[in-house]
Amino acid sequence: MNISTTILFTLIISFISYNCAISQPNESDYYQINQIYIPKEISLEVGGLAFNDKGSLGVSTRRGEVWLILNPENTKSEYIRFAHGLHEPLGLLYHEGSFFCNQRGELTQLIDEDGDNQADIYKTITKWNLNGNYHEYSYGPILLPDGQMLVTLNLGWIGYGDSGSKWRGWMLKVSQDGKVTPYATGLRSPAGFGVNAEGDIFYTENQGDWVGSGRMTHLESGDFAGNPAGLRWSAEMGSPVKLKFGDIDDTKNLSLYENQNELEGVKAPSIWFPHTLMGISTSDINFFSKKMGPFEGQMMVGDQGHSKIMRVFQEKINGVYQGVCFPFIEGFASGVLRIINNPNNDAFYVGQTNRGWGSTGQSSYALERVSWTGKIPFEIKTIKVHPEGFLLEFTQPVEKSVAKIISSYEITDFTYLYHHFYGSDVQNKESRNITDISVSEDGLNVLLKIDQFRKGYIYEIKATGILNKSGQPLLHDFGYYTLNEIPERKSNFTAKNTATSITKKVSVKHITVEPETWLNQIDVNIEIGTAPGLKFDQSSITVVAGSKVKLTFNNNDDMPHNFLLIAQNKEDEVGIAATKLGLNGAALDYVPETEAVIAHTNLLAPHEIESIYFTAPDVPGPYPFLCTFPGHYLTMRGVLTVTPKSVL
Ligand code: CU
C-alpha cells in the first residue's frame, strides 16, 4: 500500500467509524461496566450486597461467607472475611452497626463487638423449618421505613412449586426482636424486592408454573400474587390472606388480570417483563439516584439469565400501579442477582452468580461496578398512559418530521395465560392502529392515540423510526407497558378476544412418526437429556453418513428446551435468528425458518419427551446441535459427528 492509498484508506475508515458513531449508539458510551478485583482464592458467588457505614462493601456469598471489601473503588481492593459457615445467605442488609443476612433456615444478625471487621456473635433473629429441597432459597432482608425487616421464602421444586415447609412462597415481615408477621403469598421465586419512595413494596417473579412470564407485583398485606402453593398456610394464625388453595381455578383459560377481577385477593402485576424479549429470570430491584443520569427515581431490575439490567418507570392510575419496562444495560460477566448503589458516588455495584441457573455471561461469579459517563443517552424516558393512547417522553428533543409519521411507530398488545403449566405463550396478539400523533413544541413528548385499549394487556411500543435533532436513533427503541387501568375510562372500548395465531407449517424437519419408507429399519437410536447449567447430557454423538436416526430428547429439566440439528458452522447464525423471532418465537418453538436447520424437536416443556426421525447428512463432518430457547444457544450445544459410510 503506498502512502496516498494509506491516507485514503484511513480517511474512509474514519468516515465509516464517524458515521457508525452517529447511527449506532452503544450502551457503553453512557454507562460503563468495570470488573471489581476478586482474589483467586475467593469464590465470590454473590448472594447479597450492603455497604457499611465506613464505605466498605459487604458481600454475602452462596458459599456461606460474608466478605468485607474495604476499598471497592481501588484496583486491588482488600478483602476481609467477616463471617463464615452460613447456609447460602441470598441477601444482606446493614443497619445500625450490624449486618443482617437471611440464611435458608433463619434470619441472622452478625455482630462485630470489637470492631476488628470480623463478626463475633451470630444472633438468630427468627428461624423456620426447612424440608431440605434444593430450591428452598431464602432472600433478604431489606429494611422497611418502620424499622421492620422484610424477607421472602422461595418455593421448593418437585417438578412444580411446592410449599413443603411453613411460609414457603411467602413474604414475611420480621421485627428486630424476631416477631414474624406473614404479609403476602402466591410467590414462587421472589429473588428481588424493594420499597419505593412512597413506601410501597414490590417484588419480582420468575417465569415458571402459574407464572406466564417474568413480572413485578405491588404487594399489600393479604395479597395473593399467583402461585397457589403457599396458600397451604393461609389458614395459619397471623395470616392476612383469605384465599384457600381450592379457590384457584385455571380451567377457564383466563389471564391473571381476569382472575383478579373474578376473585378477591388475587393481585395482577404492575409490570410484565415479556419472556425472552426483556429477560428470562428477573432478580433484584434498585433505584436510580440523581447522580446516575436522567432516570432519577426509576427502577433498575436485574435479569439473572440474560446477564442484564432493565429499566422500569411506574405510575399510579386509579390507585393501581402500572408502567413500562425498557432495556437498559447488558453484557455483565455472570448472572445478575444483586444491584446496590454506592451511597458515596454515582456508581452502582452488580453482584453476580450463575451456578445451577445458567446465564448469558459465562463467568461463574463476578462483581462489577457501573458508572455513568455523564453523557445523556437518547432514550424513551417514560411512557405514560393517556385516556386515548400513550404519551412518550424522550430524554432529548425528537426530529419532528419523523416523529409525526405513523410508520415511525408500531404498537402491539398481547397477554399471557394464568395456569399451572410452566410459563405461557403470548396470547391474543393484535396490532393497534395509531389514529393520531401530536408532538409537543419542545420535541420532548409525543402523544400516540390508538384505536382500542384492552385492560390487563401488555403493550409493545416501538419507536424504531425516531431520531433526535442530530439524526441519531434511540439507544433502545422499544418498551413494554402493562395496562391495568385507563385514566378517564372510555365507554365504547370493549375487549375483543380475537386470537391471532401464528400458523406453524408442517415441516419435513420435524417428523415424529417413523417414516413408512424406512420399513421399520432404524440404524441408530439416540437418547439425549439435559444436564445442570444449561447443557445437554452429551456433547458429542457419532453416526454414519446417511443412517436412519431416531432421536429421543428427554427434557428432564425445570425449564423448556428444544433440540436442533444444524448445518456445519451455522450454529451461531441459527441461535441469533431464534432470538430475533421476538414475540413469534414461542409459537414457532424458537425454530427459525432457515435451510441451516436440518432437523428439530418442538420446544419441550419441563419433563416432556419427544422422538424425532431424520436421515443423517450424506456429507461427513461435524454438525452442531443446539437448544435455541432464548439465552441457551451459547452453552446448550454439542456436535453430531457424521462419519463416512464404510466401504464394502
Ligand atoms: Cu435450552
Side-chain angles (χ1 to χ4, degrees):
M1 215 186 268
N2 64 36
I3 288 178
S4 59
T5 332
T6 312
I7 290 172
L8 183 63
F9 187 70
T10 315
L11 278 174
I12 291 173
I13 292 295
S14 1
F15 180 75
I16 289 171
S17 22
Y18 175 70
N19 278 289
C20 286
I22 279 203
S23 60
Q24 285 297 328
N26 290 312
E27 289 172 351
S28 59
D29 297 337
Y30 309 98
Y31 291 90
Q32 284 175 349
I33 306 176
N34 290 297
Q35 297 242 357
I36 301 296
Y37 160 79
I38 301 172
K40 273 202 300 287
E41 60 277 15
I42 302 176
S43 294
L44 202 75
E45 296 179 326
V46 181
L49 295 174
F51 277 94
N52 71 9
D53 51 11
K54 300 187 187 77
S56 302
L57 178 58
V59 183
S60 71
T61 76
R62 297 175 66 199
R63 303 285 180 110
E65 298 173 318
V66 176
W67 290 89
L68 264 188
I69 308 179
L70 293 194
N71 37 5
E73 305 278 322
N74 288 11
T75 46
K76 196 115 190 188
S77 9
E78 196 182 335
Y79 282 67
I80 294 179
R81 195 173 73 170
F82 183 80
H84 61 104
L86 302 163
H87 194 175
E88 200 169 22
L90 291 174
L92 194 63
L93 165 72
Y94 185 80
H95 180 52
E96 293 180 346
S98 296
F99 281 104
F100 294 81
C101 69
N102 205 13
Q103 304 190 60
R104 284 202 170 203
E106 67 164 69
L107 176 59
T108 311
Q109 181 179 11
L110 302 167
I111 304 164
D112 175 12
E113 280 197 318
D114 53 11
D116 66 350
N117 286 332
Q118 292 187 355
D120 307 301
I121 298 172
Y122 295 41
K123 182 181 163 190
T124 303
I125 300 290
T126 185
K127 55 188 172 183
W128 43 80
N129 292 332
L130 294 172
N131 73 355
N133 187 281
Y134 80 101
H135 213 252
E136 286 187 322
Y137 305 112
S138 300
Y139 308 100
I142 64 168
L143 190 67
L144 293 170
D146 65 3
Q148 294 198 78
M149 290 177 281
L150 209 56
V151 299
T152 58
L153 304 185
N154 213 98
L155 291 179
W157 183 257
I158 49 170
Y160 52 86
D162 175 55
S163 187
S165 43
K166 197 169 159 186
W167 303 131
R168 285 280 146 196
W170 283 71
M171 177 178 270
L172 308 171
K173 280 187 176 179
V174 184
S175 67
Q176 306 265 338
D177 57 5
K179 184 174 176 291
V180 174
T181 310
Y183 184 71
T185 190
L187 287 59
R188 179 185 173 274
S189 196
F193 42 110
V195 182
N196 70 4
E198 289 72 40
D200 291 323
I201 296 168
F202 294 86
Y203 98 101
T204 65
E205 185 63 271
N206 283 210
Q207 190 200 46
D209 52 319
W210 296 96
V211 186
S213 180
R215 65 192 183 204
M216 179 164 73
T217 307
H218 168 219
L219 286 182
E220 295 169 285
S221 179
D223 277 345
F224 166 71
N227 188 304
L231 289 176
R232 181 175 168 191
W233 311 106
S234 64
E236 294 286 316
M237 202 165 39
S239 161
V241 176
K242 301 278 183 298
L243 287 169
K244 303 284 172 286
F245 191 87
D247 296 339
I248 307 304
D249 171 16
D250 69 342
T251 58
K252 290 190 239 163
N253 282 342
L254 302 178
S255 67
L256 187 53
Y257 178 85
E258 289 164 321
N259 271 275
Q260 171 186 264
N261 292 347
E262 293 210 342
L263 198 56
E264 200 180 330
V266 176
K267 191 68 163 282
S270 60
I271 300 278
W272 285 98
F273 303 102
H275 197 66
T276 72
L277 304 167
M278 287 304 293
I280 53 172
S281 45
T282 32
S283 59
D284 215 5
I285 293 175
N286 187 42
F287 292 87
F288 282 89
S289 79
K290 192 188 267 178
K291 295 175 277 186
M292 290 169 189
F295 307 119
E296 185 187 357
Q298 296 192 15
M299 274 182 190
M300 302 178 193
V301 174
D303 192 85
Q304 200 277 333
H306 272 182
S307 302
K308 66 162 80 152
I309 297 175
M310 303 171 282
R311 176 166 65 84
V312 170
F313 168 79
Q314 295 200 106
E315 57 182 342
K316 225 173 173 175
I317 305 294
N318 304 333
V320 177
Y321 276 104
Q322 61 187 37
V324 59
C325 58
F326 302 99
F328 171 53
I329 185 168
E330 60 183 20
F332 289 96
S334 182
V336 173
L337 182 65
R338 294 286 165 242
I339 315 169
I340 187 177
N341 293 342
N342 186 333
N344 304 309
N345 58 34
D346 61 354
F348 57 92
Y349 285 77
V350 183
Q352 303 162 54
T353 167
N354 76 358
R355 175 164 49 90
W357 302 331
S359 62
T360 308
Q362 293 294 293
S363 302
S364 17
Y365 53 86
L367 178 61
E368 292 181 295
R369 175 187 194 273
V370 182
S371 53
W372 180 43
T373 62
K375 287 190 212 160
I376 305 275
F378 180 40
E379 294 266 44
I380 311 172
K381 184 176 175 180
T382 66
I383 296 179
K384 294 175 184 151
V385 68
H386 172 275
E388 293 173 82
F390 293 99
L391 182 67
L392 282 61
E393 178 191 7
F394 296 88
T395 57
Q396 296 169 10
V398 297
E399 171 52 46
K400 290 185 183 168
S401 58
V402 289
K404 286 177 180 161
I405 307 173
I406 285 184
S407 62
S408 293
Y409 312 91
E410 217 179 307
I411 301 184
T412 310
D413 59 359
F414 60 96
T415 185
Y416 293 112
L417 279 181
Y418 173 62
H419 55 198
H420 67 279
F421 299 106
Y422 196 104
S424 160
D425 290 343
V426 162
Q427 303 290 315
N428 300 338
K429 181 162 79 81
E430 284 183 11
S431 292
R432 294 272 66 89
N433 291 319
I434 296 171
T435 54
D436 185 52
I437 300 176
S438 40
V439 183
S440 68
E441 192 69 34
D442 59 9
L444 287 172
N445 292 284
V446 174
L447 174 64
L448 302 175
K449 292 190 180 173
I450 59 171
D451 57 345
Q452 182 189 322
F453 274 130
R454 295 195 289 178
K455 278 171 78 171
Y457 276 63
I458 303 152
Y459 284 74
E460 179 186 69
I461 300 172
K462 290 184 172 173
T464 322
I466 293 301
L467 303 170
N468 66 7
K469 299 278 186 198
S470 36
Q472 193 177 48
L474 287 156
L475 179 58
H476 304 99
D477 57 14
F478 63 93
Y480 290 93
Y481 191 98
T482 299
L483 184 80
N484 292 320
E485 291 289 325
I486 304 162
E488 295 171 44
R489 194 175 303 241
K490 308 188 63 162
S491 52
N492 299 336
F493 288 175
T494 46
K496 289 194 295 184
N497 260 2
T498 45
T500 39
S501 58
I502 311 250
T503 4
K504 218 168 50 176
K505 291 181 196 153
V506 178
S507 166
V508 293
K509 298 170 181 177
H510 178 232
I511 294 173
T512 54
V513 183
E514 186 185 329
E516 281 180 23
T517 53
W518 286 17
L519 306 169
N520 290 326
Q521 191 212 333
I522 291 167
D523 300 324
V524 199
N525 250 303
I526 299 169
E527 289 184 6
I528 188 165
T530 71
L534 292 184
K535 290 191 179 78
F536 288 109
D537 62 2
Q538 345 177 13
S539 55
S540 69
I541 304 172
T542 305
V543 298
V544 176
S547 27
K548 299 183 176 71
V549 181
K550 175 185 180 185
L551 180 140
T552 302
F553 178 36
N554 175 5
N555 179 16
N556 51 342
D557 197 11
D558 300 347
M559 61 174 95
H561 299 290
N562 60 16
F563 173 98
L564 276 70
L565 180 65
I566 310 290
Q568 294 190 37
N569 301 317
K570 298 284 188 188
E571 60 269 41
D572 290 326
E573 185 182 308
V574 172
I576 291 165
T579 309
K580 287 191 175 157
L581 291 172
L583 277 174
N584 300 333
L588 297 169
D589 292 291
Y590 295 100
V591 180
E593 202 173 309
T594 155
E595 302 228 313
V597 176
I598 297 170
H600 66 88
T601 66
N602 274 341
L603 184 68
L604 303 189
H607 307 285
E608 196 181 342
I609 298 175
E610 186 179 72
S611 295
I612 55 168
Y613 300 82
F614 62 91
T615 307
D618 286 324
V619 182
Y623 290 81
F625 58 83
L626 292 181
C627 167
T628 56
F629 188 73
H632 293 192
Y633 82 93
L634 285 170
T635 53
M636 198 159 173
R637 50 168 70 187
V639 175
L640 177 96
T641 304
V642 175
T643 57
K645 284 181 199 166
S646 55
V647 185
L648 291 172

